[in-house]
Amino acid sequence: MNDGGGGDSDGTGVRGRSGGGDEGGDGGVLDALGGLDGIALRHLRGFLAVAEERSFTHAADRLRIGQPALTRTVRALETTLGARLLDRTTRRVELTDAGRRLHAELAPLLPRLAAALRPPTGRALLRLGFTSLLPAACTPLTAAFEAATGAGVRLVRRDSPLAGLETGESDVAVVRGEVPGDAGLRTALLLHEPRVAALPRTPLPAAGDSAAHRTPGPPPRPGGRGPAAARQAALRAVARRRVLDWAELADLPLVVNTVTGSTRPKLWPADRRPQPVCTAGNFDEWLEAVAAGHGVGVAPEPVAERHPHPGIRYVRLKNAPAVPVHLALPARDAHPLAERFLALAARP
């Protein structure tokens, strides 16, 4: 290990134009690099690692360099840019406003730059991102794309709202639910999927308001029922149902996947919405929370077919809004193969 060099074996510099740059311009922080000499890829990689790890120690381990060398690398970048990117304390590292802006631009850019500089081996690959479930419609679409372009498709699962698009880990992605208008994406609608309800096969017993299951708040009144007991009673009331109406879910405790799920309380009328009692950060957590009896879940119908669980019953939902499924890619500087993939999906 050579801490003296402070970084990667490549010393490729990001050389700028002869004129100066304006860091406050519309193009963002990266536009400022056009007039700055001496910035190398190792400076940008070092900053990006610290920004993501929020720790110089962990970032140095990730880059396999010494921590002092990484500290010097980041300080050199700050000096060249003339802006503090990180606030450091003895316990943590936080991004400044300038650091957040730079991170937002570097996160998707550097993986693509690394891929562009890698020596070509074999056929080109398109990275297709998804969260928990790839729609069946993607199988014939992928086959048509490979036949038309000669390129391959690599499937990339990421537990993030945009399935890796926001971090540059995917070139095109399957996004379920409504796509945020400010996400900077172009989309093509693939299909609509019906929703089903996921019920625990064995709701907690009537004594479920024990200390182990009680929600925060005042203890139940003598002779009355606590909130957890009331929720379990509501689940037991529908435990054997074969069909539920969408409106009925407003009276049931809801388990919500807040990161990659497509069902939120705002889908119900404002005056009658279900109460989220449990949240999950990915599909697997959501599945186990429902099976554990915390509440009812709502998912696209293919989940019932492809993710059976011994602790869950999937129930048909009446009058439920369908889940829109889109293909999405960045509105700017999208991968050329992603453009071809989206064009095939948009064909009638």
Side-chain angles (χ1 to χ4, degrees):
M1 182 182 298
N2 179 10
D3 285 353
D8 308 317
S9 59
D10 71 89
T12 306
V14 181
R15 297 292 177 179
R17 300 179 298 270
S18 59
D22 180 7
E23 190 170 343
D26 293 338
V29 177
L30 283 184
D31 280 354
L33 301 185
L36 299 172
D37 288 335
I39 293 180
L41 290 179
R42 61 185 174 85
H43 295 112
L44 304 180
R45 289 196 188 106
F47 163 74
L48 191 61
V50 176
E52 293 176 350
E53 298 290 343
R54 293 296 199 273
S55 162
F56 277 85
T57 301
H58 294 162
D61 289 342
R62 169 172 152 184
L63 296 174
R64 298 182 181 179
I65 64 174
Q67 183 177 334
L70 177 59
T71 301
R72 290 194 297 271
T73 297
V74 174
R75 282 178 178 165
L77 177 62
E78 291 180 318
T79 299
T80 306
L81 289 176
R84 179 173 290 277
L85 303 175
L86 300 166
D87 282 330
R88 308 157 177 85
T89 68
T90 56
R91 293 189 176 183
R92 63 182 181 178
V93 176
E94 297 292 341
L95 291 169
T96 64
D97 288 343
R100 279 189 289 271
R101 290 196 300 272
L102 182 59
H103 176 264
E105 296 202 30
L106 285 181
L109 176 62
L110 281 191
R112 292 186 59 192
L113 182 58
L117 297 177
R118 190 178 300 124
T121 56
R123 62 176 180 167
L125 278 178
L126 175 73
R127 297 169 301 167
L128 174 59
F130 69 103
T131 52
S132 58
L133 193 69
L134 195 66
C138 284
T139 300
L141 179 58
T142 297
F145 169 81
E146 292 181 337
T149 64
V153 175
R154 178 187 172 195
L155 300 180
V156 178
R157 174 178 170 172
R158 291 294 180 268
D159 289 324
S160 64
L162 299 179
L165 278 180
E166 68 274 42
T167 57
E169 295 173 283
S170 60
D171 303 309
V172 61
V174 174
V175 179
R176 283 183 168 84
E178 297 301 327
V179 179
D182 59 353
L185 302 176
R186 287 193 291 117
T187 63
L189 180 66
L190 271 181
L191 71 157
H192 285 90
E193 295 174 332
R195 281 182 164 93
V196 295
L199 298 175
R201 285 191 180 274
T202 309
L204 296 179
D209 201 22
S210 65
H213 301 290
R214 187 175 302 148
T215 54
R221 293 171 297 178
R225 293 190 306 179
R231 292 197 299 269
Q232 294 307 317
L235 287 175
R236 287 194 301 274
V238 299
R240 303 302 175 191
R241 294 275 295 276
R242 294 180 179 273
V243 180
L244 286 173
D245 192 275
W246 177 254
E248 291 182 88
L249 298 184
D251 300 320
L252 298 174
L254 190 67
V255 178
V256 177
N257 178 349
T258 58
V259 178
T260 61
S262 56
T263 300
R264 301 283 194 276
K266 66 180 182 181
L267 292 175
W268 282 265
D271 59 344
R272 194 162 186 269
R273 288 176 174 169
Q275 177 66 38
V277 295
C278 181
T279 59
N282 57 55
F283 174 79
D284 300 305
E285 290 179 1
W286 173 87
L287 203 66
E288 296 303 330
V290 174
H294 294 301
V296 61
V298 179
E301 188 175 61
V303 169
E305 302 166 1
R306 294 161 61 181
H307 288 280
H309 191 291
I312 290 177
R313 289 179 58 242
Y314 293 103
V315 175
R316 186 166 67 88
L317 275 176
K318 295 191 304 181
N319 302 315
V323 180
V325 183
H326 296 89
L327 276 179
L329 78 170
R332 294 171 50 195
D333 301 325
H335 195 293
L337 288 176
E339 300 274 9
R340 294 286 300 276
F341 198 84
L342 192 74
L344 283 172
R347 285 183 181 176

